[in-house]
Amino acid sequence: MGRKLFALLIVLLVASCGSRDSTAPRNLDDACSILSERPHYRRAFRKVERRWGVPTNVLMAVMHQESKFIGNARTPHKYMLGIIPMGRQSSAYGYSQALDSTWDDYREQTRSRRARRTDIDDAADFMGWYMAGSTKRLGIPLTDARNQYLAYHEGRTGYLRGSHNNKSWLLSVAQRVAVRSALYGKQLPYCR
């Protein structure tokens, strides 16, 4: 009996190590519903707003576009000949879809060695750090969800080069991020 109980405890411990939010919230068009369903998000977003100055609606709109608030989100697989998996399209992972190299820069610069992309607090802080850096380097206001998203997606150097201007699909996505940010911005003052 003791071995079975021990094995059960080990299984529960290992299961608890993963991201607790492996599915999207039920209503992605309602900021209040998202925050009500996942109260720990509200705390994480408030911390980012205080530390980095990024408005919650902008942060939520970008996170929605990147991962739909799924903590263990990954990019799709690449396939050779349409059937042989050849790895992922990029190293983007977690709520923030941060690339390995950018995540490593964040952990080094903020001295957050234990930060995890699957943790909402860490992922939100990463996004705040990145957007604050884009404001400092590129002059993009923290309230400008469209251009913050473009810089986030293309990288700051890509944004400076204007690489997004040749991608009509990306400009369309960035506009949707701006619209969602405005929607969340109107909803958030009424959340309990």
Side-chain angles (χ1 to χ4, degrees), residues 37 45 72 74 76 98-99 111 114 126 151 159 184-185 189:
E37 186 177 335
F45 299 155
N72 60 355
R74 291 187 179 272
L99 298 172
R111 294 184 172 87
R114 294 184 177 188
F126 166 83
Y159 182 87
Y184 287 165

Side-chain angles (χ1 to χ4, degrees), residues 90-163:
S90 77
S91 64
Y93 179 61
Y95 289 107
S96 61
Q97 289 294 286
L99 298 172
D100 290 347
S101 58
T102 314
W103 185 256
D104 290 342
D105 290 345
Y106 160 75
R107 292 189 332 165
E108 184 178 315
Q109 290 179 22
T110 61
R111 294 184 172 87
S112 303
R113 288 323 245 152
R114 294 184 177 188
R116 295 184 337 264
R117 289 180 272 189
T118 57
D119 182 290
I120 189 67
D121 291 292
D122 296 334
D125 192 67
F126 166 83
M127 293 176 84
W129 167 81
Y130 195 89
M131 290 181 198
S134 295
T135 296
K136 185 176 181 180
R137 184 166 166 207
L138 306 173
I140 303 169
L142 291 171
T143 55
D144 183 350
R146 179 184 182 278
N147 285 300
Q148 281 289 352
Y149 177 73
L150 289 169
Y152 191 85
H153 186 276
E154 293 296 282
R156 295 183 191 124
T157 303
Y159 182 87
L160 276 172
R161 281 193 301 235
S163 63

Side-chain angles (χ1 to χ4, degrees), residues 24-41:
R26 284 186 286 276
N27 187 354
L28 293 172
D29 294 328
D30 185 346
C32 297
S33 174
I34 294 167
L35 298 179
S36 175
E37 186 177 335
R38 302 204 175 147
H40 52 290
Y41 285 15

